[in-house]
Amino acid sequence: MTTETMTIREMCDAYDVTPRTLRFYESKELLHPIREGQRRLFTRRDRARLKLILRGKRFGFSLEEIRQLLDLYTVDDSQQTQLVSTLSIARARLADMEKQRAELDEAIDELRNQMTLVTEMLTSKESAA
């Protein structure tokens, strides 16, 4: 491995992804490795993009949102456009996540209450027997 490029295997090992994942991101034009015949060599830029892709996926961003943010890197305004867009998408995603968490908390509370009722019913039946 050189500091300039990494093979697909080195990328998989370094970022805990599969070759299929890397090829998929390449097919979606999110990564642009150097092609030497059948061999793919990933540059520092590809590695930085992969880190952002994986972070975006972890936060629940769609691939299209990730693509839009990555494409903004080429806009020459000291990343202002990218930062503003990232913040906007992140705010929307955070609101979605908080809503999901509230719904999940409510479902957990309901399930606990149902389990308590069932436990009480079983206890009262055992006492009556």
Side-chain angles (χ1 to χ4, degrees), residues 32-118:
H32 306 283
I34 299 166
R35 298 294 297 256
E36 290 181 354
Q38 293 294 324
R39 198 169 168 202
R40 290 170 173 85
L41 295 175
F42 294 87
T43 63
R44 287 182 182 189
R45 182 174 188 261
D46 290 315
R47 294 193 301 266
R49 289 173 70 92
L50 181 59
K51 285 179 190 177
L52 292 172
I53 292 165
L54 296 174
R55 184 178 299 144
K57 291 301 295 174
R58 181 171 170 251
F59 294 149
F61 292 1
S62 71
L63 285 181
E64 185 54 35
E65 290 169 327
I66 293 168
R67 176 195 325 289
Q68 291 170 9
L69 294 173
L70 290 173
D71 288 348
L72 291 174
Y73 267 114
T74 58
V75 176
D76 190 25
D77 64 356
S78 300
Q79 295 183 322
Q80 181 72 20
T81 302
Q82 182 192 27
L83 294 173
V84 168
S85 294
T86 300
L87 189 56
S88 174
I89 291 171
R91 283 183 177 138
R93 183 63 194 133
L94 181 60
D96 288 344
M97 290 169 79
E98 287 173 336
K99 180 180 177 197
Q100 289 173 343
R101 182 176 60 190
E103 290 170 356
L104 187 55
D105 286 343
E106 185 177 322
I108 289 169
D109 289 343
E110 263 184 64
L111 182 56
R112 281 191 178 129
N113 290 336
Q114 288 301 309
M115 290 171 63
T116 299
L117 288 172
V118 170

